[in-house]
Amino acid sequence: MSLIVEGREIALDKDGFLVDLSDWNEAVAEALAAREELALEAEHWEIIHLLRAFYAEFQLSPATRPLIKYAALKLGAEKGNSLHLNRLFKGTPAKLAAKLAGLPKPSNCL
């Protein structure tokens, strides 16, 4: 499975996650979001960049609870809660946000 972005072929695994994390950029995120029928807005980008910072710090993609706690710590309770994240990422915030951020699938996501 692959994605063509800016004339480059980007390899995806069977679940649609990047095979090579270094292939990520914002255009790739937009293309991945389009595959999910999602238009990225400022609120999405805030979480995507937050996730990338989490990954840089801890070298793993957070599951939903750690994502919520980290978002609350960094962005405040109004953005670090399950209702907000579920609304942005179609009820699967850890999995979908990690995919759009170009990160590996969180280990506890099916």
Side-chain angles (χ1 to χ4, degrees):
M1 199 163 27
S2 67
L3 193 61
I4 304 296
V5 179
E6 298 174 336
R8 285 189 319 137
E9 185 171 2
I10 308 294
L12 304 176
D13 70 12
K14 65 179 177 52
D15 296 317
F17 286 78
L18 296 182
V19 170
D20 182 349
L21 304 185
S22 69
D23 282 336
W24 189 88
N25 62 35
E26 290 191 356
V28 170
E30 292 279 4
L32 289 167
R35 287 174 52 109
E36 301 288 336
E37 300 179 355
L38 184 65
L40 296 179
E41 297 175 6
E43 290 180 308
H44 295 98
W45 285 114
E46 190 171 46
I47 300 302
I48 287 168
H49 290 298
L50 181 81
L51 262 174
R52 292 188 60 81
F54 184 99
Y55 189 81
E57 187 174 345
F58 300 108
Q59 281 71 56
L60 63 95
S61 297
T64 300
R65 284 179 191 247
L67 171 58
I68 291 168
K69 285 185 177 183
Y70 193 73
L73 178 71
K74 299 291 185 179
L75 303 174
E78 69 282 350
K79 294 181 180 178
N81 65 71
S82 59
L83 287 176
H84 178 71
L85 295 173
N86 282 326
R87 181 180 57 78
L88 289 176
F89 297 102
K90 298 181 170 185
T92 57
K95 184 176 179 181
L96 182 54
K99 181 187 291 187
L100 300 181
L103 304 178
K105 184 164 82 171
S107 58
N108 69 337
C109 289
L110 301 175

XYZ file of all heavy atoms in Angstrom:
853
model
N 0.857 -1.163 0.000
C 0.000 0.000 0.000
C 0.910 1.236 0.000
O 1.952 1.248 0.644
C -0.883 -0.030 1.261
C -2.074 0.850 1.143
S -3.467 0.618 2.297
C -2.832 -0.062 3.774
N 0.502 2.242 -0.735
C 1.312 3.456 -0.777
C 0.437 4.677 -1.053
O -0.745 4.558 -1.362
C 2.418 3.340 -1.818
O 1.867 3.300 -3.120
N 1.063 5.811 -0.963
C 0.418 7.100 -1.116
C 1.353 7.944 -1.986
O 2.564 7.889 -1.812
C 0.318 7.700 0.287
C -0.524 8.894 0.616
C -1.995 8.612 0.317
C -0.373 9.223 2.089
N 0.820 8.683 -2.918
C 1.644 9.576 -3.724
C 1.445 11.003 -3.193
O 0.328 11.512 -3.163
C 1.262 9.519 -5.230
C 1.338 8.090 -5.755
C 2.148 10.471 -6.035
C 2.709 7.463 -5.744
N 2.539 11.609 -2.746
C 2.494 12.962 -2.194
C 3.617 13.771 -2.826
O 4.784 13.378 -2.741
C 2.663 12.949 -0.656
C 2.642 14.362 -0.096
C 1.606 12.099 0.008
N 3.245 14.865 -3.456
C 4.220 15.750 -4.095
C 5.142 14.966 -5.032
O 6.351 15.185 -5.062
C 5.024 16.514 -3.040
C 4.150 17.408 -2.174
C 4.883 18.068 -1.021
O 5.926 17.551 -0.561
O 4.381 19.100 -0.554
N 4.562 14.008 -5.766
C 5.325 13.221 -6.727
C 6.162 12.112 -6.132
O 6.854 11.395 -6.856
N 6.110 11.934 -4.825
C 6.870 10.866 -4.157
C 5.924 9.761 -3.733
O 4.817 10.026 -3.275
C 7.558 11.380 -2.883
C 8.762 12.223 -3.114
C 9.528 12.526 -1.813
N 8.671 12.827 -0.673
C 8.860 12.348 0.563
N 9.855 11.539 0.827
N 8.053 12.686 1.535
N 6.411 8.521 -3.849
C 5.625 7.393 -3.359
C 6.004 7.149 -1.900
O 7.173 6.972 -1.571
C 5.901 6.133 -4.190
C 5.016 4.978 -3.772
C 5.105 3.786 -4.710
O 5.884 3.825 -5.673
O 4.386 2.814 -4.449
N 4.992 7.157 -1.048
C 5.180 6.969 0.392
C 4.619 5.591 0.749
O 3.431 5.338 0.565
C 4.429 8.060 1.200
C 4.788 9.469 0.712
C 4.668 7.887 2.690
C 6.198 9.900 0.923
N 5.475 4.720 1.262
C 5.055 3.363 1.622
C 4.251 3.377 2.918
O 4.621 4.042 3.890
C 6.273 2.459 1.774
N 3.148 2.613 2.903
C 2.287 2.464 4.079
C 2.206 0.995 4.449
O 2.297 0.123 3.585
C 0.872 2.982 3.776
C 0.741 4.421 3.282
C -0.713 4.724 2.940
C 1.274 5.404 4.307
N 2.001 0.723 5.741
C 1.782 -0.668 6.146
C 0.324 -1.047 5.907
O -0.467 -0.247 5.405
C 2.234 -0.894 7.597
C 1.347 -0.215 8.643
O 0.236 0.267 8.303
O 1.749 -0.183 9.813
N -0.044 -2.262 6.289
C -1.399 -2.759 6.011
C -2.483 -1.935 6.713
O -3.628 -1.937 6.290
C -1.512 -4.237 6.388
C -1.363 -4.520 7.876
C -1.514 -6.001 8.185
C -1.316 -6.333 9.631
N -2.080 -5.593 10.593
N -2.121 -1.207 7.777
C -3.090 -0.383 8.506
C -3.061 1.086 8.075
O -3.751 1.918 8.658
C -2.838 -0.480 10.016
C -3.063 -1.890 10.542
O -4.059 -2.524 10.140
O -2.242 -2.358 11.358
N -2.228 1.410 7.090
C -2.164 2.778 6.597
C -1.183 3.679 7.320
O -1.181 4.888 7.112
N -0.329 3.110 8.179
C 0.695 3.880 8.878
C 1.952 3.941 8.018
O 2.215 3.037 7.223
C 1.038 3.226 10.228
C -0.021 3.417 11.279
C -1.172 2.650 11.257
C 0.126 4.357 12.278
C -2.168 2.816 12.218
C -0.851 4.538 13.238
C -2.002 3.768 13.211
N 2.749 4.994 8.179
C 3.983 5.120 7.428
C 4.936 3.976 7.754
O 5.103 3.619 8.922
C 4.695 6.439 7.759
C 3.998 7.733 7.385
C 4.885 8.926 7.757
C 3.663 7.776 5.909
N 5.574 3.420 6.722
C 6.600 2.395 6.931
C 7.878 3.085 7.413
O 8.542 2.611 8.327
C 6.850 1.600 5.628
C 8.072 0.708 5.754
C 5.611 0.782 5.273
N 8.212 4.227 6.807
C 9.407 4.985 7.163
C 8.956 6.303 7.787
O 8.420 7.176 7.098
C 10.255 5.237 5.913
C 11.544 5.990 6.204
O 11.719 6.517 7.333
O 12.387 6.060 5.293
N 9.177 6.448 9.087
C 8.704 7.639 9.800
C 9.325 8.919 9.264
O 8.744 9.992 9.392
C 8.983 7.508 11.301
C 8.406 6.274 12.005
C 8.669 6.346 13.496
C 6.936 6.093 11.718
N 10.487 8.825 8.628
C 11.134 10.031 8.096
C 10.438 10.556 6.836
O 10.764 11.642 6.361
C 12.616 9.774 7.817
O 12.764 8.886 6.726
N 9.473 9.796 6.297
C 8.703 10.262 5.142
C 7.686 11.333 5.521
O 7.095 11.965 4.658
C 7.938 9.099 4.479
C 8.821 8.233 3.605
O 9.866 8.724 3.127
O 8.464 7.069 3.392
N 7.457 11.545 6.825
C 6.391 12.447 7.256
C 6.729 13.908 6.992
O 7.845 14.373 7.208
C 6.110 12.275 8.746
C 4.884 13.030 9.187
C 3.612 12.582 9.166
C 4.820 14.377 9.685
N 2.755 13.562 9.620
C 3.474 14.669 9.940
C 5.776 15.359 9.930
C 3.046 15.890 10.444
C 5.346 16.589 10.425
C 3.998 16.843 10.679
N 5.738 14.632 6.530
C 5.727 16.089 6.543
C 4.253 16.501 6.558
O 3.369 15.630 6.557
C 6.527 16.700 5.369
C 5.962 16.330 4.012
O 4.749 16.196 3.821
N 6.842 16.154 3.040
N 3.981 17.772 6.575
C 2.579 18.198 6.690
C 1.763 17.821 5.460
O 0.573 17.525 5.579
C 2.506 19.687 7.004
C 2.981 19.972 8.418
C 2.691 21.382 8.911
O 2.166 22.204 8.138
O 2.993 21.641 10.093
N 2.386 17.781 4.288
C 1.661 17.362 3.083
C 1.266 15.890 3.176
O 0.174 15.494 2.756
C 2.505 17.606 1.833
N 2.147 15.075 3.753
C 1.838 13.652 3.963
C 0.684 13.531 4.946
O -0.245 12.744 4.742
C 3.089 12.876 4.441
C 2.735 11.477 4.891
C 4.150 12.846 3.327
N 0.708 14.321 6.011
C -0.389 14.301 6.989
C -1.712 14.665 6.321
O -2.732 14.011 6.576
C -0.096 15.262 8.140
N -1.688 15.670 5.460
C -2.904 16.069 4.739
C -3.410 14.927 3.858
O -4.614 14.664 3.795
C -2.633 17.309 3.871
C -2.369 18.571 4.646
C -3.616 19.284 5.139
O -4.738 18.780 4.949
O -3.451 20.360 5.735
N -2.503 14.243 3.170
C -2.888 13.129 2.298
C -3.440 11.962 3.108
O -4.431 11.327 2.719
C -1.697 12.689 1.451
N -2.818 11.666 4.244
C -3.322 10.598 5.118
C -4.712 10.965 5.645
O -5.596 10.111 5.713
C -2.351 10.352 6.278
C -1.024 9.690 5.920
C -0.048 9.793 7.083
C -1.232 8.240 5.516
N -4.889 12.232 6.011
C -6.196 12.681 6.513
C -7.257 12.565 5.424
O -8.394 12.159 5.701
C -6.100 14.119 7.016
N -6.893 12.902 4.192
C -7.844 12.799 3.080
C -8.305 11.355 2.903
O -9.480 11.111 2.611
C -7.208 13.319 1.798
N -7.398 10.399 3.095
C -7.769 8.977 3.021
C -8.797 8.618 4.089
O -9.574 7.689 3.935
C -6.540 8.080 3.203
C -5.604 8.047 2.024
C -4.348 7.250 2.365
N -4.664 5.945 2.891
C -4.474 4.798 2.244
N -3.951 4.801 1.051
N -4.786 3.652 2.787
N -8.771 9.341 5.188
C -9.699 9.106 6.306
C -10.933 10.005 6.199
O -11.732 10.055 7.129
C -8.986 9.372 7.638
C -7.763 8.515 7.887
C -8.099 7.077 8.193
O -9.234 6.800 8.660
O -7.220 6.222 7.982
N -11.030 10.763 5.096
C -12.121 11.718 4.895
C -12.197 12.729 6.032
O -13.258 13.019 6.575
C -13.453 10.986 4.702
C -13.423 10.067 3.495
C -14.715 9.300 3.290
O -15.629 9.386 4.129
O -14.806 8.620 2.260
N -11.012 13.267 6.358
C -10.893 14.224 7.447
C -10.145 15.448 6.929
O -9.091 15.317 6.311
C -10.118 13.578 8.600
C -9.940 14.361 9.879
C -11.286 14.601 10.559
C -9.027 13.599 10.828
N -10.700 16.626 7.151
C -10.030 17.877 6.790
C -9.323 18.412 8.033
O -9.954 18.646 9.063
C -11.050 18.896 6.288
N -8.015 18.556 7.947
C -7.244 19.003 9.105
C -7.397 20.507 9.316
O -7.213 21.298 8.400
C -5.773 18.643 8.928
C -5.471 17.146 8.869
C -3.992 16.913 8.676
C -5.981 16.431 10.106
N -7.726 20.855 10.552
C -7.868 22.251 10.954
C -6.862 22.539 12.061
O -6.142 21.640 12.502
C -9.302 22.504 11.420
C -10.310 22.281 10.294
C -11.758 22.404 10.734
O -12.000 22.782 11.898
O -12.635 22.127 9.904
N -6.814 23.766 12.524
C -5.825 24.171 13.532
C -5.851 23.263 14.767
O -4.791 22.907 15.299
C -6.062 25.626 13.943
N -7.042 22.857 15.213
C -7.136 21.989 16.397
C -6.486 20.627 16.148
O -5.885 20.057 17.051
C -8.598 21.787 16.798
C -9.258 23.013 17.368
C -10.712 22.741 17.738
O -11.474 22.238 16.882
O -11.074 23.028 18.879
N -6.639 20.097 14.934
C -6.001 18.821 14.600
C -4.481 18.975 14.613
O -3.772 18.141 15.174
C -6.431 18.339 13.206
C -7.870 18.016 13.085
N -8.769 18.919 12.547
C -8.582 16.915 13.414
C -9.978 18.371 12.565
N -9.895 17.163 13.085
N -3.998 20.046 13.973
C -2.549 20.265 13.905
C -1.949 20.404 15.295
O -0.832 19.937 15.541
C -2.239 21.489 13.043
C -2.410 21.215 11.589
C -3.342 21.759 10.758
C -1.656 20.304 10.784
N -3.200 21.235 9.489
C -2.172 20.350 9.475
C -0.586 19.449 11.053
C -1.657 19.576 8.437
C -0.068 18.679 10.020
C -0.601 18.746 8.732
N -2.667 21.046 16.200
C -2.184 21.212 17.570
C -1.911 19.844 18.202
O -0.862 19.625 18.811
C -3.229 21.992 18.369
C -2.787 22.439 19.715
C -3.789 23.381 20.348
O -5.017 23.099 20.313
O -3.351 24.408 20.880
N -2.824 18.903 18.027
C -2.669 17.564 18.592
C -1.602 16.772 17.820
O -0.804 16.055 18.421
C -4.020 16.805 18.606
C -5.068 17.557 19.439
C -3.829 15.374 19.101
C -4.691 17.802 20.891
N -1.573 16.913 16.509
C -0.567 16.209 15.704
C 0.840 16.644 16.127
O 1.718 15.802 16.354
C -0.808 16.456 14.196
C -2.049 15.674 13.745
C 0.423 16.079 13.366
C -2.571 16.047 12.364
N 1.054 17.936 16.267
C 2.379 18.414 16.689
C 2.675 18.015 18.137
O 3.822 17.696 18.473
C 2.508 19.920 16.472
C 2.569 20.285 15.018
N 3.580 19.867 14.176
C 1.740 21.000 14.244
C 3.369 20.319 12.954
N 2.241 21.008 12.966
N 1.655 17.994 18.971
C 1.821 17.533 20.349
C 2.255 16.062 20.369
O 3.156 15.678 21.121
C 0.506 17.709 21.114
C 0.545 17.296 22.579
C 1.164 18.410 23.406
C -0.855 17.002 23.077
N 1.616 15.242 19.541
C 1.972 13.826 19.465
C 3.410 13.638 18.996
O 4.130 12.777 19.492
C 1.049 13.103 18.483
C -0.109 12.353 19.076
C -1.003 11.818 17.972
C 0.363 11.214 19.944
N 3.826 14.418 18.025
C 5.202 14.324 17.530
C 6.199 14.698 18.633
O 7.245 14.089 18.767
C 5.385 15.163 16.274
C 4.593 14.550 15.095
C 4.868 15.198 13.781
N 6.253 15.116 13.365
C 6.832 14.050 12.785
N 6.132 12.954 12.553
N 8.099 14.082 12.443
N 5.837 15.681 19.464
C 6.690 16.057 20.601
C 6.734 14.927 21.627
O 7.799 14.614 22.176
C 6.167 17.350 21.244
N 5.586 14.299 21.879
C 5.523 13.157 22.803
C 6.448 12.048 22.303
O 7.237 11.483 23.062
C 4.081 12.647 22.907
C 3.889 11.534 23.904
C 3.394 11.802 25.171
C 4.194 10.221 23.591
C 3.212 10.777 26.100
C 4.011 9.187 24.503
C 3.522 9.478 25.768
N 6.358 11.747 21.005
C 7.181 10.684 20.425
C 8.661 11.044 20.524
O 9.490 10.189 20.859
C 6.785 10.433 18.965
C 7.453 9.212 18.389
C 6.932 7.943 18.639
C 8.605 9.312 17.623
C 7.545 6.820 18.126
C 9.227 8.193 17.102
C 8.689 6.943 17.361
O 9.295 5.821 16.864
N 9.010 12.278 20.270
C 10.412 12.707 20.368
C 10.928 12.549 21.795
O 12.083 12.175 22.008
C 10.547 14.159 19.911
N 10.063 12.790 22.772
C 10.467 12.711 24.183
C 10.522 11.270 24.690
O 11.448 10.897 25.415
C 9.482 13.528 25.026
C 9.876 13.663 26.478
C 8.973 14.600 27.265
O 8.207 15.384 26.651
O 9.033 14.533 28.509
N 9.537 10.441 24.311
C 9.403 9.107 24.901
C 9.662 7.951 23.936
O 9.626 6.785 24.342
C 8.005 8.946 25.508
C 7.704 9.948 26.586
C 6.811 10.982 26.348
C 8.323 9.878 27.828
C 6.519 11.921 27.335
C 8.046 10.810 28.817
C 7.146 11.832 28.570
N 9.850 8.222 22.636
C 10.068 7.202 21.608
C 8.949 6.158 21.536
O 9.195 4.989 21.277
C 11.422 6.479 21.788
C 12.606 7.270 21.292
C 12.912 8.464 22.174
O 13.111 8.313 23.363
N 12.900 9.649 21.603
N 7.726 6.594 21.762
C 6.573 5.710 21.573
C 5.338 6.544 21.305
O 5.289 7.724 21.623
C 6.362 4.784 22.775
C 6.044 5.408 24.135
C 4.548 5.441 24.363
C 6.699 4.589 25.223
N 4.380 5.887 20.673
C 3.088 6.520 20.400
C 2.186 6.252 21.590
O 2.020 5.099 21.976
C 2.461 5.926 19.138
O 3.259 6.183 18.023
N 1.596 7.284 22.177
C 0.787 7.060 23.374
C -0.559 6.411 23.065
O -1.154 6.657 22.014
C 0.585 8.473 23.923
C 0.616 9.345 22.710
C 1.632 8.693 21.790
N -1.004 5.603 24.000
C -2.371 5.096 23.961
C -3.291 6.255 24.342
O -2.827 7.355 24.654
C -2.517 3.936 24.948
N -4.578 6.025 24.338
C -5.530 7.112 24.556
C -5.356 7.797 25.911
O -5.291 9.025 25.977
C -6.974 6.592 24.385
O -7.105 6.095 23.049
C -7.990 7.718 24.578
N -5.276 7.047 26.993
C -5.181 7.687 28.324
C -3.921 8.547 28.471
O -4.015 9.691 28.915
C -5.262 6.650 29.442
C -6.665 6.160 29.663
C -6.697 5.113 30.770
N -7.978 4.467 30.800
C -8.831 4.595 31.798
N -8.519 5.325 32.836
N -9.988 3.977 31.750
N -2.734 8.020 28.101
C -1.555 8.897 28.185
C -1.647 10.108 27.246
O -1.181 11.191 27.596
C -0.396 7.983 27.780
C -0.889 6.601 28.022
C -2.372 6.649 27.806
N -2.268 9.931 26.091
C -2.452 11.058 25.171
C -3.315 12.136 25.823
O -2.986 13.323 25.771
C -3.086 10.584 23.861
C -3.528 11.689 22.889
C -2.370 12.586 22.492
C -4.189 11.077 21.662
N -4.411 11.728 26.447
C -5.302 12.680 27.116
C -4.547 13.406 28.234
O -4.614 14.634 28.343
C -6.558 11.961 27.665
C -7.434 11.500 26.496
C -7.340 12.865 28.619
C -8.539 10.529 26.896
N -3.791 12.658 29.039
C -3.045 13.275 30.144
C -1.991 14.250 29.632
O -1.815 15.338 30.170
C -2.376 12.194 31.002
C -3.343 11.468 31.893
C -2.626 10.497 32.796
C -3.606 9.828 33.725
N -2.969 8.927 34.676
N -1.288 13.851 28.574
C -0.244 14.709 28.008
C -0.861 15.966 27.406
O -0.344 17.072 27.590
C 0.541 13.916 26.960
C 1.833 14.552 26.517
C 2.953 14.573 27.348
C 1.961 15.105 25.249
C 4.143 15.138 26.939
C 3.147 15.676 24.832
C 4.244 15.688 25.673
O 5.426 16.251 25.264
N -1.972 15.812 26.691
C -2.658 16.971 26.109
C -3.147 17.912 27.210
O -3.019 19.138 27.085
C -3.815 16.519 25.226
N -3.674 17.363 28.281
C -4.140 18.195 29.398
C -2.963 18.942 30.033
O -3.069 20.137 30.347
C -4.857 17.338 30.434
N -1.846 18.262 30.195
C -0.658 18.864 30.786
C -0.126 20.011 29.919
O 0.187 21.086 30.424
C 0.430 17.792 30.953
C 1.763 18.260 31.504
C 1.612 18.621 32.979
C 2.817 17.189 31.323
N -0.067 19.796 28.621
C 0.539 20.770 27.709
C -0.434 21.822 27.188
O -0.024 22.942 26.894
C 1.169 20.042 26.511
C 2.267 19.068 26.881
C 3.500 19.772 27.384
C 4.626 18.788 27.626
N 5.838 19.437 28.095
N -1.710 21.448 27.014
C -2.675 22.347 26.372
C -3.818 22.786 27.284
O -4.626 23.617 26.881
C -3.269 21.667 25.129
C -2.276 21.201 24.068
C -3.002 20.428 22.975
C -1.491 22.363 23.491
N -3.929 22.172 28.449
C -5.015 22.510 29.368
C -6.163 21.516 29.301
O -6.305 20.770 28.337
N -6.978 21.517 30.330
C -8.059 20.540 30.472
C -9.108 20.631 29.369
O -9.720 19.631 29.010
C -8.722 20.690 31.834
N -9.317 21.838 28.813
C -10.352 21.975 27.774
C -9.962 21.245 26.491
O -10.820 20.877 25.701
C -10.688 23.439 27.497
C -9.607 24.251 26.810
C -8.464 24.696 27.738
O -8.566 24.552 28.965
O -7.460 25.188 27.206
N -8.673 21.009 26.282
C -8.226 20.270 25.092
C -7.727 18.875 25.445
O -7.676 18.006 24.582
C -7.129 21.051 24.376
C -7.656 22.352 23.804
C -6.604 23.113 23.074
C -7.185 24.406 22.535
N -6.181 25.198 21.847
N -7.355 18.675 26.674
C -6.862 17.374 27.119
C -7.963 16.561 27.758
O -7.920 16.264 28.950
N -8.979 16.250 26.966
C -10.060 15.394 27.477
C -10.564 14.519 26.344
O -10.396 14.842 25.160
C -11.179 16.239 28.100
C -11.882 17.124 27.099
O -12.623 16.631 26.247
N -11.665 18.429 27.189
N -11.187 13.414 26.711
C -11.588 12.433 25.708
C -12.654 12.970 24.755
O -12.635 12.643 23.570
C -12.053 11.136 26.369
O -13.135 11.376 27.225
N -13.575 13.804 25.220
C -14.613 14.335 24.329
C -14.004 15.155 23.199
O -14.358 14.989 22.035
C -15.609 15.197 25.115
C -16.586 14.451 26.016
C -17.432 15.447 26.810
C -17.476 13.542 25.197
N -13.086 16.031 23.536
C -12.430 16.881 22.531
C -11.649 16.029 21.532
O -11.788 16.187 20.321
C -11.500 17.877 23.238
C -10.741 18.767 22.310
N -11.333 19.766 21.585
C -9.425 18.798 21.987
C -10.420 20.383 20.862
N -9.245 19.819 21.082
N -10.843 15.101 22.040
C -10.002 14.279 21.156
C -10.837 13.316 20.318
O -10.541 13.110 19.139
C -8.945 13.537 21.976
C -7.923 14.462 22.657
C -7.012 13.670 23.575
C -7.122 15.250 21.646
N -11.870 12.743 20.887
C -12.748 11.849 20.119
C -13.470 12.604 19.003
O -13.644 12.083 17.904
C -13.773 11.168 21.022
C -13.187 10.014 21.801
O -12.316 9.304 21.318
N -13.653 9.827 23.021
N -13.877 13.843 19.280
C -14.542 14.655 18.272
C -13.588 14.953 17.113
O -13.956 14.861 15.942
C -15.041 15.954 18.905
C -15.777 16.875 17.927
C -16.247 18.158 18.592
N -15.185 18.934 19.208
C -14.334 19.722 18.529
N -14.411 19.831 17.230
N -13.403 20.410 19.171
N -12.353 15.284 17.428
C -11.381 15.610 16.384
C -10.988 14.400 15.546
O -10.799 14.509 14.340
C -10.112 16.203 17.008
C -10.202 17.596 17.587
C -8.876 17.970 18.234
C -10.592 18.603 16.529
N -10.850 13.257 16.206
C -10.277 12.087 15.543
C -11.228 10.896 15.491
O -10.829 9.753 15.686
C -8.938 11.711 16.206
C -7.913 12.799 16.055
C -7.622 13.652 17.099
C -7.263 13.000 14.849
C -6.690 14.674 16.950
C -6.332 14.020 14.685
C -6.043 14.855 15.749
N -12.480 11.172 15.203
C -13.494 10.160 14.881
C -13.593 9.019 15.900
O -13.781 7.869 15.529
C -13.196 9.552 13.510
C -13.243 10.537 12.371
C -12.951 9.804 11.082
C -13.202 10.641 9.872
N -13.020 9.867 8.655
N -13.414 9.338 17.169
C -13.585 8.320 18.197
C -12.400 7.390 18.381
O -12.448 6.499 19.211
N -11.327 7.582 17.624
C -10.113 6.759 17.804
C -8.893 7.682 17.864
O -8.014 7.631 17.001
C -9.938 5.744 16.652
O -9.895 6.467 15.410
C -11.053 4.725 16.627
N -8.845 8.557 18.889
C -7.816 9.593 18.884
C -6.382 9.074 18.885
O -5.560 9.581 18.126
C -8.116 10.418 20.128
C -8.957 9.567 20.985
C -9.703 8.655 20.060
N -6.059 8.092 19.702
C -4.668 7.639 19.768
C -4.233 7.040 18.436
O -3.169 7.372 17.907
C -4.484 6.630 20.904
N -5.052 6.196 17.878
C -4.695 5.512 16.634
C -4.679 6.466 15.439
O -3.688 6.543 14.706
C -5.676 4.360 16.382
C -5.331 3.526 15.170
C -6.287 2.357 15.055
C -5.987 1.506 13.840
N -6.917 0.397 13.705
N -5.751 7.210 15.228
C -5.838 8.071 14.056
C -4.856 9.243 14.146
O -4.182 9.572 13.162
C -7.263 8.578 13.856
C -7.503 9.457 12.632
C -7.023 8.789 11.344
C -8.982 9.803 12.532
N -4.741 9.855 15.311
C -3.810 10.978 15.450
C -2.369 10.515 15.252
O -1.581 11.210 14.620
C -3.987 11.656 16.806
N -2.021 9.331 15.761
C -0.664 8.797 15.549
C -0.412 8.567 14.063
O 0.654 8.894 13.538
C -0.464 7.506 16.333
N -1.400 8.026 13.370
C -1.262 7.794 11.923
C -1.009 9.115 11.203
O -0.086 9.221 10.391
C -2.515 7.128 11.377
C -2.445 6.819 9.884
C -3.770 6.302 9.343
C -4.096 4.931 9.861
N -5.308 4.352 9.218
N -1.805 10.130 11.494
C -1.671 11.416 10.824
C -0.370 12.123 11.196
O 0.169 12.898 10.408
C -2.869 12.309 11.140
C -4.236 11.760 10.728
C -5.331 12.740 11.081
C -4.281 11.380 9.260
N 0.134 11.843 12.390
C 1.395 12.438 12.851
C 2.609 11.683 12.310
O 3.739 12.061 12.601
C 1.424 12.473 14.379
N 2.362 10.610 11.558
C 3.460 9.853 10.985
C 4.187 8.971 11.975
O 5.346 8.621 11.792
N 3.488 8.587 13.034
C 4.088 7.780 14.097
C 3.620 6.332 13.993
O 2.624 6.031 13.344
C 3.690 8.350 15.455
C 4.052 9.822 15.669
C 3.577 10.286 17.030
C 5.547 10.058 15.505
N 4.327 5.423 14.670
C 3.873 4.030 14.677
C 2.526 3.904 15.384
O 2.161 4.728 16.219
C 4.944 3.288 15.498
C 6.096 4.218 15.580
C 5.565 5.610 15.426
N 1.809 2.834 15.043
C 0.534 2.567 15.711
C 0.794 2.323 17.190
O 1.711 1.582 17.540
C -0.128 1.338 15.066
C -1.499 1.027 15.626
C -2.272 0.090 14.740
C -1.889 -1.335 14.985
N -2.783 -2.274 14.279
N 0.006 2.963 18.078
C 0.172 2.680 19.518
C 0.041 1.185 19.782
O -0.810 0.515 19.169
C -0.956 3.469 20.166
C -1.257 4.577 19.195
C -1.027 3.962 17.830
N 0.874 0.653 20.629
C 0.973 -0.799 20.802
C -0.303 -1.461 21.286
O -0.529 -2.623 21.010
C 2.123 -1.140 21.749
O 1.923 -0.505 22.993
N -1.174 -0.733 21.983
C -2.395 -1.363 22.496
C -3.594 -1.150 21.585
O -4.700 -1.486 21.930
C -2.712 -0.850 23.899
C -3.125 0.605 23.883
O -2.793 1.337 22.961
N -3.838 1.015 24.899
N -3.395 -0.574 20.377
C -4.506 -0.345 19.460
C -4.663 -1.526 18.514
O -3.686 -2.006 17.958
C -4.286 0.928 18.631
S -4.440 2.428 19.599
N -5.892 -1.959 18.342
C -6.150 -3.082 17.453
C -6.130 -2.633 15.994
O -6.392 -1.532 15.658
C -7.504 -3.708 17.776
C -7.634 -4.234 19.204
C -9.056 -4.711 19.460
C -6.652 -5.354 19.466
